[in-house]
Amino acid sequence: GENVEQHPSTLSVQEGDSAVIKCTYSDSASNYFPWYKQELGKRPQLIIDIRSNVGEKKDQRIAVTLNKTAKHFSLHITETQPEDSAVYFCAAFSPNFGNEKLTFGTGTRLTIIP
Amino acid sequence: NAGVTQTPKFQVLKTGQSMTLQCAQDMNHEYMSWYRQDPGMGLRLIHYSVGAGITDQGEVPNGYNVSRSTTEDFPLRLLSAAPSQTSVYFCASSPTAGGLEQYFGPGTRLTVT
């Protein structure tokens, strides 16, 4: 089955700096890669996703890049703000017929230092 | 729309007790799923359903049962609670057949003593 590894597990950056979180996956058939943000005590919320037919996607201050050859994808947050502090999860979707599912990484706790 | 709702928010059980965690969605999503979240382990899939009457096992199904009699509801049953089932449980639903773009409920924090 799919295996998703996420690094780093914790990340602290100064407000205004950029943050990068990286994930690798094992199943070359995986074709959808979402990122979820989970604030303390809250539910995970989808913030951005990318499909395997594109290499980069941007939405204001956040962007995701995908390298299918190397089987890794990354979340980039620019001009970080205190409200970006949260746990971020990557995931990979395996479309194997009869066993389609999302596999999540173990999460990155991002702290923005004012 | 209320989205995905879960009850209860918190629950304490004794070892061996059984209970049902409720999940409902009002978005007419065919795909629903249950995850457990443990520190340092991310979200692990317990069971999922691609439509009413259809359920399947995820990564960690042991000790849990599900049913899907309607599109809206997807309850999770703990048959005989164990301390290892202490966790936060999230229900999610998706508008796509395979479970892309999942929307999560608020979670249930379960403690088994």
Side-chain angles (χ1 to χ4, degrees):
Chain A
E2 176 64 278
N3 181 48
V4 177
E5 294 191 356
Q6 183 171 348
H7 299 281
S9 57
T10 61
L11 179 61
S12 295
V13 300
Q14 289 290 138
E15 182 178 353
D17 288 350
S18 296
V20 180
I21 302 169
K22 299 181 180 180
C23 290
T24 61
Y25 61 99
S26 61
D27 186 352
S28 57
S30 290
N31 60 6
Y32 171 74
F33 307 91
W35 286 88
Y36 286 82
K37 175 184 181 182
Q38 186 178 29
E39 297 175 356
L40 189 62
K42 301 285 183 64
R43 73 190 78 188
Q45 292 197 296
L46 179 67
I47 56 171
I48 195 168
D49 55 16
I50 191 167
R51 296 179 188 262
S52 58
N53 57 346
V54 298
E56 183 174 1
K57 183 176 178 181
K58 283 188 75 171
D59 183 4
Q60 300 183 341
R61 294 186 299 108
I62 60 173
V64 58
T65 58
L66 171 65
N67 183 328
K68 279 191 66 72
T69 303
K71 289 192 278 190
H72 68 72
F73 56 112
S74 300
L75 177 71
H76 305 254
I77 307 174
T78 59
E79 300 173 16
T80 54
Q81 300 169 3
E83 53 264 37
D84 295 329
S85 292
V87 177
Y88 292 81
F89 292 96
C90 63
F93 178 79
S94 301
N96 300 312
F97 181 74
N99 193 28
E100 301 92 339
K101 64 173 185 174
L102 271 178
T103 301
F104 285 83
T106 51
T108 296
R109 181 173 300 278
L110 175 63
T111 302
I112 307 302
I113 305 166
Chain B
N1 287 354
V4 181
T5 58
Q6 291 182 240
T7 56
K9 283 188 179 301
F10 302 95
Q11 183 71 49
V12 179
L13 290 178
K14 294 189 187 309
T15 298
Q17 287 184 318
S18 62
M19 79 158 296
T20 299
L21 307 186
Q22 301 292 344
C23 174
Q25 52 91 13
D26 61 358
M27 299 176 282
N28 202 33
H29 289 173
E30 293 293 333
Y31 187 98
M32 296 185 75
S33 54
W34 276 102
Y35 293 88
R36 59 177 289 172
Q37 184 176 34
D38 302 294
M41 300 190 76
L43 292 149
R44 292 184 292 168
L45 182 65
I46 304 171
H47 285 284
Y48 66 100
S49 168
V50 299
I54 306 168
T55 63
D56 210 341
Q57 295 182 351
E59 182 185 354
V60 288
N62 292 344
Y64 308 94
N65 272 357
V66 292
S67 60
R68 185 93 180 272
S69 56
T70 67
T71 299
E72 294 78 20
D73 300 296
F74 191 42
L76 178 73
R77 297 184 191 82
L78 280 71
L79 309 173
S80 176
S84 61
Q85 294 179 304
T86 293
S87 188
V88 180
Y89 291 85
F90 287 99
C91 178
S93 72
S94 169
T96 63
L100 311 183
E101 299 176 43
Q102 295 196 28
Y103 295 89
F104 285 84
T108 295
R109 184 175 294 275
L110 175 69
T111 302
V112 183
T113 61

